[in-house]
Amino acid sequence: MARNFVEVVFESNQKYLEGFLQGYLLGKKADLRYYFSRAVGVKAESLSEKIREWATLSDKYHYLIMEKKLYEAIMQTGAVQDAGEALVKVVAVQRVKSGQFEVAINSASRDESKAVKEMLKLRPPVVEMIDWQQSVEIDKEARGVELYTPAHEYQFKASGSFKGAVDVLIAFRQKLTEFSSVTAKEIKLERV
C-alpha cells in the first residue's frame, strides 16, 4: 500500500526535534517514517531561503519528509504548534506527490559496472527510469593496469533520471550512491 507523505518545515532545535520524533514513535510503537531532507539528499530549500538562514547564523529551520499520518498524529499531541511559544513549531506543510533525481555513472571497473547494472535492473517497480542512455566503450590499446592513466580499456557510462514514490526513491538513491562511479543529484519533490 502506498504511503502518503508531506514536506514539513519545522522551526526548532534539531536535536530536540529528533528526540521528540524518535520518542513519539517509540512510545506509540508506530511504524511511520520521516526523513530529514538534508540527510537523505532531498532538495529542500531555495537559494533565497538558504541565504536568509545563513544571514541569521542559525540552523533553526528543518525540512522533513514525513508520512501524513505521523504529521497528523504529532499535531494532535499539543507539543507541536504553528504559532506561540512551543519548542517545535510548524512553519509550512505541503503534500508530496513524488520525487525525481538525475544520475550520471562513469565506471572503468567491469565488476562495479556489473553490480550497478544489476541494481538498475532490479530497481523497485514504482521507480520509473526517464531519458536513460548508456554506453560501453572498449579500447584494446589501453589494456593493462596503470596507476595514473587517462585511458581505460573498459568504460561504462550512463545517465538519466529516476522518478517515483518519495520513500522508495530515497532508499533507491541511497543504495545507488554507495557505488563510487555514481553521481546523483538531489531529489526534487513534486508537491501538490
Side-chain angles (χ1 to χ4, degrees):
M1 183 175 130
R3 298 175 185 238
N4 292 319
F5 285 86
V6 291
E7 179 185 43
V8 185
V9 181
F10 288 101
E11 180 181 340
S12 178
N13 174 286
Q14 183 171 344
K15 294 295 181 190
Y16 183 83
L17 180 58
E18 288 173 355
F20 171 72
L21 291 171
Q22 291 172 3
Y24 179 84
L25 291 174
L26 283 171
K28 292 289 186 180
K29 295 182 174 63
D31 180 28
L32 298 170
R33 298 179 188 162
Y34 69 90
Y35 309 92
F36 279 82
S37 295
R38 285 184 189 156
V40 295
V42 173
K43 183 172 176 48
E45 46 196 51
S46 69
L47 181 59
S48 65
E49 290 168 323
K50 284 183 183 179
I51 291 170
R52 193 174 333 130
E53 192 169 315
W54 291 334
T56 62
L57 297 175
S58 70
D59 193 20
K60 64 181 183 177
Y61 296 105
H62 306 283
Y63 292 74
L64 276 76
I65 307 300
M66 60 176 29
E67 285 191 57
K68 187 178 177 191
K69 286 181 182 179
L70 176 58
Y71 170 73
E72 291 168 348
I74 64 170
M75 289 304 289
Q76 292 176 359
T77 66
V80 178
Q81 298 176 8
D82 42 7
E85 296 298 317
L87 292 172
V88 177
K89 295 179 192 172
V90 173
V91 177
V93 62
Q94 217 172 359
R95 196 167 82 82
V96 174
K97 183 178 179 184
S98 65
Q100 182 172 340
F101 72 94
E102 296 175 18
V103 68
I105 304 167
N106 190 351
S107 177
S109 166
R110 289 178 190 263
D111 291 338
E112 184 167 301
S113 296
K114 183 179 177 183
V116 170
K117 287 177 189 177
E118 187 66 23
M119 179 174 225
L120 294 173
K121 190 168 69 171
L122 298 175
R123 73 185 183 282
V126 296
V127 174
E128 176 186 355
M129 203 181 261
I130 301 171
D131 297 329
W132 192 254
Q133 299 174 349
Q134 69 181 38
S135 65
V136 174
E137 299 169 11
I138 297 177
D139 182 0
K140 297 285 185 188
E141 293 181 19
R143 173 167 266 172
V145 177
E146 294 292 331
L147 186 58
Y148 300 105
T149 179
H152 298 282
E153 177 189 359
Y154 174 86
Q155 195 78 27
F156 171 68
K157 294 181 181 181
S159 64
S161 299
F162 295 100
K163 182 177 182 175
V166 70
D167 57 332
V168 178
L169 203 63
I170 287 169
F172 180 68
R173 183 184 177 278
Q174 286 178 327
K175 287 180 183 175
L176 201 55
T177 56
E178 289 175 3
F179 295 102
S180 62
S181 61
V182 175
T183 304
K185 291 191 177 179
E186 290 181 311
I187 297 171
K188 293 179 184 174
L189 298 176
E190 183 180 348
R191 299 168 179 94
V192 180

